[in-house]
């Protein structure tokens, strides 16, 4: 089997944004992951792109104009002018979605990467597209939630639906993917599948009984789990559920949210998954050979987030990488062991008994059996790709651009990286 064609989207600015002192969401983790991806030499195995900045017009395909106008205008200096809107849109003081410098550009960057990835897949220019900055699954049409302002996942799925009759969304963040599920709750063109902690845990939704409604009935799949979930048990429920989903739904493309807060030792999470266990889900979904968009999400012990997304990048590239971390700009973050892989916490109890997991699995499979095979859809003329902002014209090289790549950005030049005696993969001649 030939190696997959992988596109990787990264903007160096995305890791510079700061939610504020004490806030658990730290975009800096994206710089840490990127450093590992560079120093393992993984960048050489894929096409590296700087994403375009998504425009308000693109975001308005899902979000309300009033909400977008508010996000564009609000900043730490003018909050007093927007007191009513802040309450209405769940942003600012007393919420988990603070106002910080550069808020709207931050959302434009991470959203642009997800839309660009979907466009690459639509045009058959990549088999897998990766945007670790994306995956902000809690944002609603007119409301921020759970550190998420713009729902890049919904927007990328809408892009994929232009070319694919059915799109599958899979979420392995420890928190329920409520924003994506809500957006597609009444349609059969998107199946949402979420594996998450349930019960006295944010956002409080995602019961196994929540299955969608109207045309979307049984196209929302929820697998509620308890604290302490480990690799072996997660695999025992993930693989049979997803195998049945693939058999029945037969999607044309997959979007996978790989929130790393389901890892052991996460600052906000309570699962006990290792990097290998988390990545096994990615490996399994990749095995179906469908166009796949891989996104980030939660993850609040940032050294482990970087480990996880680096390893999952290697997984989609079919590359084996050393457990010894290469030297990089943030090497000191990874002490004292400086290893890629994590060990589970031996003292954490797993509240997911075999009996509980079997009951959940049986219920989920019963719900799936209510579906009468994959839904059909009459495809009409394909709508144009999302528009791109004119202000971003100089962010790519037109000479390297395919005519059909309406909003796919330039590939980064090799001089962005380096090959010398500090090159950790010693692969400079390839």
């Amino acid at each position: 089997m030939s190696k997959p064609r992988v596109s990787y989207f990264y903007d160096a600015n995305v890791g510079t944004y700061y939610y504020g002192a004490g806030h658990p969401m730290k975009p800096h983790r994206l710089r840490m992951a990127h450093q590992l991806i560079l120093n393992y030499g993984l960048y050489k195995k894929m096409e590296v792109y700087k994403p375009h900045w998504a425009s308000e017009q693109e975001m308005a395909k899902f979000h309300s104009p009033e909400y977008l106008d508010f996000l564009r205008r609000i900043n730490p200096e003018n909050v007093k002018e927007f007191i009513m809107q802040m309450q209405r849109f769940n942003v600012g003081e007393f919420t988990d979605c603070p106002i910080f410098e550069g808020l709207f550009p931050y959302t434009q960057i991470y959203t642009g990467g997800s839309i660009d990835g979907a466009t690459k897949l639509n045009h058959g220019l990549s088999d897998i597209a990766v945007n670790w900055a994306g995956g902000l699954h809690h944002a609603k049409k007119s409301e921020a939630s759970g550190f998420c302002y713009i729902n890049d996942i919904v927007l990328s799925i809408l892009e994929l639906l232009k070319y694919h009759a059915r799109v599958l969304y899979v979420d392995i963040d420890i928190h329920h993917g409520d924003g994506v599920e809500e957006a597609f709750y009444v349609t059969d063109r998107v199946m949402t599948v979420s594996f998450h902690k349930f019960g006295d845990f944010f956002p409080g939704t995602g019961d196994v009984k929540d299955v969608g409604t109207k045309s979307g009935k049984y196209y929302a799949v929820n697998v509620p789990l308890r604290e302490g979930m480990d690799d072996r048990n997660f695999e025992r429920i993930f693989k049979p559920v997803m195998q049945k989903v693939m058999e029945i739904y037969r999607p044309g493309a997959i979007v996978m949210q790989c929130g790393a807060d389901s890892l052991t030792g996460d600052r906000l999470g309570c699962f006990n998954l290792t990097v290998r266990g988390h990545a096994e889900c990615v490996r399994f979904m990749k095995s179906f050979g469908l166009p796949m968009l891989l996104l980030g999400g939660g993850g609040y012990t940032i050294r482990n987030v970087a480990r996880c997304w680096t390893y999952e990048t290697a997984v989609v590239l079919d590359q084996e990488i050393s457990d010894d971390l290469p030297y990089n700009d943030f090497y000191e973050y990874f002490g004292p062991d400086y290893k890629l892989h994590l060990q589970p916490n031996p003292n954490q109890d797993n509240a997911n008994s075999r009996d509980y997991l079997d009951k959940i699995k049986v219920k989920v499979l019963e719900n799936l059996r209510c579906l009468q095979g994959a839904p059909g859809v009459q495809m009409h003329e394909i709508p144009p790709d999302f528009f791109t902002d004119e202000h971003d014209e100089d962010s790519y090289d037109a000479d390297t651009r395919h005519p059909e790549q309406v909003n796919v950005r330039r590939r980064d030049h090799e001089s962005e990286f380096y090959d010398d005696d500090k090159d950790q993969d010693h692969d400079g001649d390839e």
Side-chain angles (χ1 to χ4, degrees):
M1 181 182 289
S2 61
K3 295 282 187 182
R5 298 168 301 159
V6 179
S7 296
Y8 170 81
F9 294 87
Y10 179 75
D11 185 316
N13 292 314
V14 74
T16 65
Y17 295 100
Y18 184 55
Y19 275 63
H23 198 286
M25 177 60 105
K26 300 188 184 302
H28 177 64
R29 65 201 180 136
L30 298 163
R31 286 195 289 191
M32 294 171 64
H34 186 67
Q35 273 289 307
L36 289 180
I37 288 166
L38 289 184
N39 285 281
Y40 269 117
L42 295 173
Y43 73 91
K44 297 177 183 176
K45 313 294 183 182
M46 54 190 177
E47 292 191 340
V48 180
Y49 290 90
K50 183 177 181 180
H52 83 291
W53 287 27
S55 67
E56 270 188 79
Q57 188 175 7
E58 291 173 278
M59 295 173 175
K61 297 293 183 180
F62 173 61
H63 292 284
S64 71
E66 299 82 10
Y67 176 57
L68 294 173
D69 182 64
F70 163 76
L71 288 181
R72 179 176 52 80
R73 294 167 60 198
I74 192 79
N75 63 63
E77 280 69 53
N78 66 7
V79 291
K80 291 183 179 179
E81 302 171 26
F82 293 94
I83 298 298
M84 294 300 294
Q85 292 98 318
M86 287 164 58
Q87 293 177 349
R88 175 185 172 190
F89 297 128
N90 192 41
V91 173
E93 195 176 9
F94 310 120
T95 77
D96 55 13
C97 297
I99 295 156
F100 55 87
E101 193 65 42
L103 169 58
F104 194 63
Y106 166 66
T107 68
Q108 290 180 287
I109 293 172
Y110 77 69
T111 301
S114 298
I115 293 172
D116 283 352
T119 304
K120 271 281 195 180
L121 298 176
N122 278 346
H123 290 293
L125 299 170
S126 295
D127 303 309
I128 298 171
V130 180
N131 177 33
W132 293 127
L136 280 77
H137 59 172
H138 295 306
K140 311 298 196 300
K141 182 182 179 70
S142 299
E143 181 182 315
S145 177
F147 319 155
C148 307
Y149 302 86
I150 296 296
N151 200 314
D152 63 291
I153 307 172
V154 171
L155 292 165
S156 62
I157 290 174
L158 291 174
E159 189 70 14
L160 289 168
L161 287 172
K162 295 175 182 178
Y163 284 72
H164 302 279
R166 295 175 299 279
V167 174
L168 172 65
Y169 172 67
V170 187
D171 191 317
I172 57 172
D173 192 291
I174 197 171
H175 300 97
H176 177 231
D178 58 333
V180 184
E181 179 184 276
E182 181 180 300
F184 299 110
Y185 207 60
V186 296
T187 179
D188 57 8
R189 291 199 61 197
V190 179
M191 177 174 280
T192 60
V193 187
S194 180
F195 297 80
H196 52 268
K197 168 73 166 66
F198 182 72
D200 193 26
F201 198 73
F202 181 86
T205 50
D207 196 327
V208 70
K209 299 192 293 286
D210 299 332
V211 296
T213 190
K214 298 181 180 178
S215 296
K217 190 169 186 182
Y218 299 118
Y219 291 96
V221 178
N222 284 297
V223 185
L225 303 170
R226 297 171 176 170
E227 62 272 10
M229 175 57 77
D230 58 24
D231 291 355
R232 184 173 61 87
N233 284 288
F234 200 69
E235 184 176 343
R236 279 187 59 235
I237 195 162
F238 183 86
K239 288 187 175 180
V241 166
M242 294 316 305
Q243 184 70 47
K244 183 57 68 174
V245 164
M246 295 300 289
E247 289 173 7
I248 291 176
Y249 192 60
R250 293 189 285 123
I254 298 168
V255 176
M256 188 165 186
Q257 197 267 21
C258 302
D261 47 7
S262 43
L263 292 175
T264 185
D266 187 77
R267 181 176 171 186
L268 298 186
C270 57
F271 281 1
N272 202 15
L273 299 180
T274 69
V275 167
R276 281 194 176 92
H278 196 272
E280 186 58 31
C281 300
V282 175
R283 193 188 309 275
F284 185 70
M285 296 313 300
K286 173 181 174 288
S287 71
F288 292 99
L290 293 176
M292 184 160 75
L293 177 61
L294 212 59
L295 303 174
Y300 308 102
T301 300
I302 59 176
R303 62 186 181 274
N304 294 343
V305 176
R307 288 174 160 114
C308 183
W309 292 345
T310 299
Y311 184 63
E312 287 172 349
T313 303
V315 165
V316 299
L317 288 167
D318 293 332
Q319 296 294 311
E320 295 292 335
I321 56 176
S322 172
D323 190 32
D324 295 317
L325 291 173
Y327 187 78
N328 64 87
D329 288 354
F330 307 110
Y331 191 67
E332 68 277 5
Y333 281 74
F334 300 99
D337 62 331
Y338 304 101
K339 299 292 185 183
L340 175 66
H341 289 289
L342 303 174
Q343 298 302 315
N345 180 356
N347 299 317
Q348 184 173 9
D349 292 331
N350 183 4
N352 299 275
S353 67
R354 188 182 187 101
D355 181 59
Y356 173 75
L357 291 177
D358 285 345
K359 285 179 179 176
I360 291 294
K361 182 166 64 175
V362 166
K363 181 60 178 172
V364 168
L365 295 179
E366 279 179 1
N367 290 341
L368 288 170
R369 277 194 288 271
C370 294
L371 299 175
Q372 304 298 315
V377 60
Q378 185 174 355
M379 299 296 285
H380 299 281
E381 182 179 346
I382 298 173
D385 293 328
F386 273 133
F387 295 99
T388 54
D389 280 345
E390 293 179 4
H391 78 263
D392 199 36
E393 292 260 323
D394 60 355
S395 72
Y396 62 96
D397 180 359
D399 292 333
T400 65
R401 190 166 173 250
H402 294 271
E404 70 271 34
Q405 289 174 259
V406 176
N407 75 333
V408 175
R409 288 293 161 245
R410 66 168 175 84
R411 182 175 181 176
D412 279 344
H413 192 273
E414 291 295 334
S415 62
E416 294 283 325
F417 314 111
Y418 60 82
D419 276 302
D420 61 12
D421 57 354
K422 294 182 180 179
D423 184 1
Q424 297 296 321
D425 69 350
H426 307 293
D427 194 23
D429 296 327
E430 183 167 306

